[in-house]
């Protein structure tokens, strides 16, 4: 749409002529602004900020012969006049003609003279004509890209330095790789260009800083390949690069044509913190505007075998659009295609299929955090293994099929490993988010995104967050997160936590990702110390245990249901003050839970812990307040509580199991399997409850849930599952705005307030996961668990080596502690809890 302002061209262009094929124009910048403002005022319309932005794009409606770069700079977004009639461009105030001349020079213009007055700022510049640009829809081949960049390079002066300051935030550098043979040294040059000008005229590289190799072989690999791939010549300077990047560029290089690549290690001045922050903030635009993204994973193993299996899996599912891959010959420049058929898959054993898939999914690229946005934002992407190339669409689809229809390949194959399984799941996750995925969109919030990407790795702690910022199109709240590499890790994570508290439906759910992490001393002891740093700051990398909180939004726990999120002012900027209810005190905690390995209903490994789950069941400690039958060894109600706690209330699909007898039969079969003899009263009792159910269901759920966790009981008779770092005396609390209960430890110091705590971690407690404690608080009472606290105390604390006098003394002290705990929580109330 052409706006009706062009009739006033004579007021904008005071003089225009052609001198030596250069456009020479004197522009009155203030006249432009005044003219446009008067146009709106004549219509009786206010000049809103939105209209100011539309004015800034006036050059889009002018004829190319009348358009010069200085006009574009003069009316760019954000250009305005303040009360002193000073021009402000790109956030920089230009108060004198000299400022304008300097600005013009920085943007590549040749200022030849200026005139100035208080009411009118003018500048006369000489602007070289722009080179003829091939339209983006014509860049369809390497030849098109070569011809375009050839023209650009022929008109560019030889740079005097490796990195020249970028003119503005919408500029980037492109790496032009000169053609050469496989043995030639890499010759490149860096060109600065506006992102808009470069749109769809370059390829972006996604890679891992090193190959997938055992860490023991890393130094050998570095010494072997560093001399061959660890350097290149760029802008006439020798530059050191990682060997894997060098190998990638060697394979990308064409024997006859120039290639235009964007790669972070070279196109961003990594030693300039300000530029690094600015370029990372526009990385979503860089990858989404690339013609294609090239995924370099490495050059090891039998790539052809692995890629053939990928294609066979896809083609066996849908042969209408057969998947294929190609092999590039660097000597001739020709490409040869491979088209595996689905029929050949039937005659290959599962072990051989998985062994072949390891040749693709075994690379470290699949767990590098930066690659997520690089693939998700790509218009199209190809995966490269050496000179083999396959479309990312086939990789992602194969990962989706392996996760769903071919899951048996991963679970049963002898060649399956946790690494390959995780890499396959990572590929599926990235494929679901990718532009080319035809499956239903994966709607996620920021907290879910951070949890789903916790298995990915990055070298810089800040990149745990910044590497995902390009996904703002999918997770809008990321737009509010500014990239700033001068922040510490703690400062950034606090900013993210603050963002979550302002944007999430459950503002404090991120606390499930906070707390202490187990160390060697806490994994096999009775509680550990507190790690350095704020305990409430969430961590999304290197987690040693799974979440107790559920993933499905419609099935989440709601321990604080009915209690609103409130955030009072804390006593320190590093503390978090919230409103919560202190429910109970931890009276006893068990050993670290290490479940036995069960395969096909057979116990293949004995339980290594000193006090097993079976011994707790048989201890007689867990007597329900509701009187059990005299002939029962243990009530079914007690076993139901144990089954729910040890599986954290979920079923085999990791969804919430709301049935009262959830997993009871499978748990009883599990206990029966732990008995050393297949007879006796306990065996009969467990058999009666198990009926015809096997132990596998319970074992598979509990194996994940109980990792690095322990059972505990409270002074109010609750049974729960919590972190191994907890210990007797810790508090149980529910926070308004959080789904799970949490374990807290009072912080003791001379200047500490009474309500200052360290966050130990989330926990699961049977009977309080749906707002029961909030209801009890509103009724003016406390909340009690199903078991009798006094019996728990007597049975769980035994000292066989002590004389009776010593035992009596300890019992007296424990009873006093129990009474104090019961009194402290006799009436529940909302209080301010400050986490440090």
């Amino acid at each position: 749409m052409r706006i009706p302002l062009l009739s006033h061209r004579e007021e904008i262009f005071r003089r225009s002529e052609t001198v030596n094929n250069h456009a020479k124009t004197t522009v009155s910048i203030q006249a432009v602004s005044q003219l446009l403002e008067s146009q709106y005022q004549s219509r009786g319309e206010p000049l809103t900020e939105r209209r100011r932005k539309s004015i800034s794009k006036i050059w889009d409606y002018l004829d190319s012969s009348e358009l010069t770069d200085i006009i574009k700079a003069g009316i760019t977004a954000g250009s305005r006049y303040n009360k002193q009639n000073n021009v402000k461009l790109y956030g920089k105030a230009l108060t004198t003609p000299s400022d304008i001349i300097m600005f013009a020079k920085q943007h590549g213009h040749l200022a030849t003279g200026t005139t100035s007055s208080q009411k009118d700022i003018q500048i006369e510049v000489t602007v070289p004509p722009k080179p003829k640009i091939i339209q983006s829809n014509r860049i369809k081949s390497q030849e098109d890209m070569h011809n375009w960049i050839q023209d650009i390079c022929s008109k560019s002066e030889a740079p005097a330095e490796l990195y020249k300051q970028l003119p503005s935030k919408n500029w980037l550098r492109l790496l032009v790789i000169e053609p050469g043979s496989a043995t030639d040294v890499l010759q490149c040059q860096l060109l600065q260009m506006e992102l808009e000008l470069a749109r769809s005229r370059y390829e972006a590289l996604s890679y891992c800083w090193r190959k997938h190799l055992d860490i023991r072989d890393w130094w050998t690999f570095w010494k072997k390949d560093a001399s061959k791939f660890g350097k290149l010549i760029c802008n006439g300077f020798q530059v050191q690069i990682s060997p894997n990047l060098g190998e990638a560029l060697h394979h990308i290089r064409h024997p006859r044509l120039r290639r235009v690549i964007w790669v972070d290690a070279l196109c961003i001045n990594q030693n300039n913190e300000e530029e690094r922050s600015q370029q990372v903030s526009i990385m979503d635009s860089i990858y989404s505007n690339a013609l294609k993204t090239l995924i370099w994973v490495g050059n090891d193993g039998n790539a052809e075998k692995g890629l053939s299996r990928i294609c066979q899996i896809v083609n066996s599912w849908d042969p209408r659009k057969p998947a294929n891959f190609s092999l590039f010959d660097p000597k001739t420049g020709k490409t040869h295609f491979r088209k595996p058929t689905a029929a050949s898959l039937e005659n290959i054993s599962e072990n051989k299929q998985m062994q072949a898939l390891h040749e693709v999914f075994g690379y470290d690229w699949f767990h590098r955090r930066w690659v997520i946005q690089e693939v998700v934002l790509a218009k199209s992407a190809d995966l490269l293994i050496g000179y083999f190339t396959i479309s990312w669409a086939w990789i992602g689809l194969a990962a989706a099929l392996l996760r769903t229809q071919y899951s048996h390949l991963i679970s049963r194959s002898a060649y399956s490993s946790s690494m390959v399984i995780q890499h396959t799941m990572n590929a599926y996750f990235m494929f679901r988010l990718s532009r080319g995925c035809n499956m239903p969109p994966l709607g996620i919030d920021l907290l879910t995104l951070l949890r789903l990407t916790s298995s990915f790795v990055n070298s810089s702690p800040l990149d745990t967050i910044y590497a995902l910022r390009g996904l703002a199109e999918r997770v809008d709240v990321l737009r509010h997160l500014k990239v700033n590499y001068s922040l510490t890790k703690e400062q950034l994570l606090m900013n993210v936590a603050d963002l979550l508290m302002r944007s999430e439906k459950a503002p404090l759910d991120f606390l499930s990702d906070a707390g202490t992490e187990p160390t060697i001393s806490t994994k096999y002891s009775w509680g550990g110390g507190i790690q350095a740093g704020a305990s409430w700051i969430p961590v999304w990398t290197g987690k040693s245990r799974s979440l107790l909180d559920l993933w499905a939004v419609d099935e989440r726990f709601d321990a604080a249901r009915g209690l609103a999120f409130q955030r009072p002012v804390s006593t320190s900027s590093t503390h978090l003050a919230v409103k919560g209810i202190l429910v109970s005190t931890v009276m006893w905690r068990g050993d670290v839970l290490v479940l036995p390995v069960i395969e096909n209903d057979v116990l293949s490994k004995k339980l290594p812990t000193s006090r097993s789950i079976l011994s707790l069941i048989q201890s007689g400690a867990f007597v329900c307040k509701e009187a059990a039958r005299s002939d029962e060894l243990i009530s079914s109600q007690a076993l139901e509580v144990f089954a729910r706690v040890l599986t954290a209330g979920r079923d085999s699909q990791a969804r919430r199991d709301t049935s009262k007898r959830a997993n009871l039969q499978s748990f009883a079969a599990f206990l029966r399997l732990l008995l050393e003899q297949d007879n006796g009263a306990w065996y009969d009792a467990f058999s009666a409850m198990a009926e015809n159910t096997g132990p596998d269901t319970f074992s598979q759920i509990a194996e994940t849930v109980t990792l690095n966790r322990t059972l505990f009981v409270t002074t109010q008779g609750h049974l729960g599952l919590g972190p191994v770092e907890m210990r007797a005396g810790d508090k149980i609390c529910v926070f308004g705005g959080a789904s799970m209960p949490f374990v807290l430890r009072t912080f003791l110091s001379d200047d500490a307030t009474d309500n200052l705590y360290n966050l130990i971690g989330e926990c699961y407690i049977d009977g309080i996961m749906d707002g029961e404690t909030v209801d009890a608080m509103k009724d003016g009472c406390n909340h009690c668990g199903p078991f009798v606290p006094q019996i728990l105390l007597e049975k769980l604390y035994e000292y066989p080596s002590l004389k009776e006098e010593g035992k009596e003394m300890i019992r007296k002290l424990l009873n006093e502690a129990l009474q104090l705990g019961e009194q402290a929580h006799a009436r529940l109330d909302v209080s301010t809890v400050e986490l440090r």
Side-chain angles (χ1 to χ4, degrees), residues 26 217 449 512 578 659 811:
T26 302
D217 299 328
L449 175 66
S512 290
V578 291
S659 62
R811 289 193 192 101

Side-chain angles (χ1 to χ4, degrees), residues 409-478:
L409 285 179
I410 296 178
S411 61
R412 295 204 302 256
S413 172
Y415 286 92
S416 297
S417 67
S418 59
M419 177 192 67
V420 174
I421 294 172
Q422 187 61 63
H423 287 188
T424 305
M425 297 302 102
N426 291 349
Y428 167 74
F429 168 70
M430 291 186 284
F431 175 67
R432 283 297 310 273
L433 289 176
S434 299
R435 288 182 174 183
C437 179
N438 294 324
M439 302 173 70
L442 190 63
I444 54 176
D445 55 25
L446 177 57
L447 182 58
T448 304
L449 175 66
L450 291 167
R451 289 174 174 177
L452 285 172
T453 57
S454 61
S455 63
F456 291 81
V457 299
N458 46 273
S459 55
S460 170
L462 300 183
D463 289 339
T464 301
I465 307 300
Y466 292 154
L468 303 174
R469 193 183 179 279
L471 301 178
E473 182 179 334
R474 302 296 181 90
V475 185
D476 187 67
V477 71
L478 282 169

Side-chain angles (χ1 to χ4, degrees), residues 541-578:
T541 56
K543 304 296 287 185
S544 64
R545 51 184 165 236
S546 63
L547 282 172
L548 289 176
D549 195 5
L550 296 171
W551 290 93
V553 177
D554 56 338
E555 297 182 348
R556 302 288 286 273
F557 296 116
D558 198 0
R561 184 174 61 193
L563 182 62
F565 167 63
Q566 298 180 64
R567 187 182 179 186
V569 178
S570 60
T571 61
S572 170
S573 60
T574 60
H575 294 175
L576 174 64
V578 291

Side-chain angles (χ1 to χ4, degrees), residues 294-574:
L294 305 176
I295 302 168
W296 170 262
V297 296
N299 188 30
D300 298 318
N302 191 338
E304 185 166 9
K305 182 189 296 184
L307 296 178
S308 294
R309 297 298 177 271
I310 292 289
C311 294
Q312 288 167 346
I313 289 174
V314 173
N315 293 337
S316 65
W317 175 71
D318 185 1
R320 291 174 297 177
K321 296 181 179 179
N324 60 78
F325 62 98
S326 63
L327 175 63
F328 178 75
D329 187 342
K331 295 181 179 180
T332 63
K334 295 182 178 181
T335 300
H336 307 280
F337 287 90
R338 304 284 196 272
K339 299 180 180 180
T341 60
S344 58
L345 187 66
E346 300 174 356
N347 301 321
I348 303 173
S349 68
E350 292 180 354
N351 282 345
K352 288 186 177 181
Q353 290 182 43
M354 202 61 204
Q355 185 181 15
L357 292 173
H358 187 279
E359 304 292 345
V360 177
F361 292 112
Y363 287 96
D364 276 357
W365 180 90
F366 287 95
H367 70 222
R368 180 175 175 260
R369 189 178 299 270
W370 277 105
V371 308
I372 301 172
Q373 66 171 5
E374 295 168 1
V375 172
V376 169
L377 297 173
K379 294 178 182 177
S380 67
D382 287 341
L383 184 136
L384 282 63
I385 305 180
Y387 288 110
F388 287 98
T389 300
I390 188 172
S391 171
W392 167 252
W394 303 135
I395 298 290
L397 186 54
L401 292 171
L402 284 168
R403 181 182 179 273
T404 54
Q405 301 187 30
Y406 295 91
S407 58
H408 59 280
L409 285 179
I410 296 178
S411 61
R412 295 204 302 256
S413 172
Y415 286 92
S416 297
S417 67
S418 59
M419 177 192 67
V420 174
I421 294 172
Q422 187 61 63
H423 287 188
T424 305
M425 297 302 102
N426 291 349
Y428 167 74
F429 168 70
M430 291 186 284
F431 175 67
R432 283 297 310 273
L433 289 176
S434 299
R435 288 182 174 183
C437 179
N438 294 324
M439 302 173 70
L442 190 63
I444 54 176
D445 55 25
L446 177 57
L447 182 58
T448 304
L449 175 66
L450 291 167
R451 289 174 174 177
L452 285 172
T453 57
S454 61
S455 63
F456 291 81
V457 299
N458 46 273
S459 55
S460 170
L462 300 183
D463 289 339
T464 301
I465 307 300
Y466 292 154
L468 303 174
R469 193 183 179 279
L471 301 178
E473 182 179 334
R474 302 296 181 90
V475 185
D476 187 67
V477 71
L478 282 169
R479 300 182 190 278
H480 303 292
L481 195 65
K482 304 300 181 184
V483 179
N484 183 359
Y485 278 97
S486 64
L487 296 177
T488 65
K489 174 185 175 182
E490 288 72 22
Q491 288 172 329
L492 176 60
L493 292 176
M494 284 184 183
N495 291 345
V496 175
D498 185 68
L499 195 61
L500 290 168
M501 284 186 280
R502 289 187 283 111
S503 61
E504 298 291 314
K505 293 181 179 179
L508 292 180
D509 270 358
F510 71 87
L511 291 178
S512 290
D513 302 281
T516 59
E517 277 291 308
T519 61
I520 294 177
S521 61
T522 61
K523 282 184 178 180
Y524 305 102
S525 68
W526 285 60
I530 303 298
Q531 298 172 189
S535 64
W536 64 271
I537 295 179
V539 177
W540 290 287
T541 56
K543 304 296 287 185
S544 64
R545 51 184 165 236
S546 63
L547 282 172
L548 289 176
D549 195 5
L550 296 171
W551 290 93
V553 177
D554 56 338
E555 297 182 348
R556 302 288 286 273
F557 296 116
D558 198 0
R561 184 174 61 193
L563 182 62
F565 167 63
Q566 298 180 64
R567 187 182 179 186
V569 178
S570 60
T571 61
S572 170
S573 60
T574 60

Side-chain angles (χ1 to χ4, degrees), residues 227-248:
S227 58
K228 182 178 181 181
F229 299 121
K231 59 186 176 181
L232 53 76
I233 305 299
C234 185
N235 289 2
F237 299 91
Q238 182 171 296
V239 180
Q240 298 293 324
I241 57 175
S242 71
N244 192 43
L245 173 57
E247 188 174 15

Side-chain angles (χ1 to χ4, degrees), residues 47 113 701 731:
L47 187 63
I701 303 171
K731 307 295 183 183

Side-chain angles (χ1 to χ4, degrees), residues 59-189:
W59 61 84
D60 292 337
Y61 304 97
L62 299 178
D63 295 335
S64 58
S65 61
E66 299 167 341
L67 177 62
T68 63
D69 283 354
I70 191 61
I71 297 176
K72 183 174 180 179
I75 322 173
T76 191
S79 299
R80 60 186 182 275
Y81 285 83
N82 56 25
K83 294 181 180 179
Q84 288 75 34
N85 291 329
N86 295 330
V87 184
K88 195 170 184 180
L89 304 176
Y90 293 112
K92 181 177 180 180
L94 307 180
T95 58
T96 67
S98 299
D99 291 338
I100 297 178
I101 294 174
M102 183 60 67
F103 179 84
K105 287 182 177 180
Q106 290 176 350
H107 287 70
H109 311 309
L110 305 175
T112 59
T114 64
T115 60
S116 173
S117 67
Q118 291 184 348
K119 295 184 178 180
D120 197 16
I121 300 178
Q122 297 180 339
I123 179 170
E124 183 178 280
V125 297
T126 302
V127 184
K130 292 183 180 179
K132 182 178 179 181
I133 303 299
I134 300 176
Q135 297 299 318
S136 60
N137 57 7
R138 292 178 56 192
I139 299 285
K140 296 182 178 180
S141 65
Q142 291 296 328
E143 286 78 6
D144 290 340
M145 189 174 294
H146 171 81
N147 294 334
W148 170 71
I149 203 64
Q150 188 83 354
D151 191 37
I152 298 288
C153 292
S154 64
K155 294 179 171 60
S156 301
E157 297 181 359
E161 54 188 338
L162 183 61
Y163 292 111
K164 181 182 177 182
Q165 184 177 354
L166 293 172
S168 76
K169 65 180 182 180
N170 294 320
W171 284 58
L172 78 167
R173 297 184 187 90
L174 295 177
L175 183 72
V176 181
I177 305 175
E178 300 294 336
S181 65
T183 58
D184 292 341
V185 176
L186 276 171
Q187 297 281 346
C188 312
Q189 59 177 307

